[in-house]
Amino acid sequence: MFPNLQVTSRCILDHPEGVHDHETKATAEPQVAQLAKEFEAEDCSAIIISCADDPGLNLARQTVTLPVIGAGEATALVARPLGKKSVL
């Protein structure tokens, strides 16, 4: 659909089952920031953190000058105006 768009995907180490609690998020955050540095050094245009919990989002934003997009944050921002208030 976007023939001129080049995408590189990398996984962080030691998280084979993903980020699912406070401990795994805490250990993932510095690794995400390190990957952001690597992508910036490779002249990437932007970074997308594909985990819905956005581990390392703020740290990566503080670490690099590239735009850093969190999948969870982006999805929430798109969904927010589409949602309806409900009373439980």
Side-chain angles (χ1 to χ4, degrees), residues 1-6:
M1 185 160 225
F2 302 98
N4 295 323
L5 180 66
Q6 293 180 333

Side-chain angles (χ1 to χ4, degrees), residues 1 13 29 33 40 42-45 48 51 58 74 76 84 86-87:
M1 185 160 225
L13 300 175
E29 289 179 341
E40 185 172 54
E42 295 170 17
D43 290 326
C44 291
S45 301
I48 300 173
C51 178
N58 292 327
K84 294 181 170 87
S86 64
V87 179

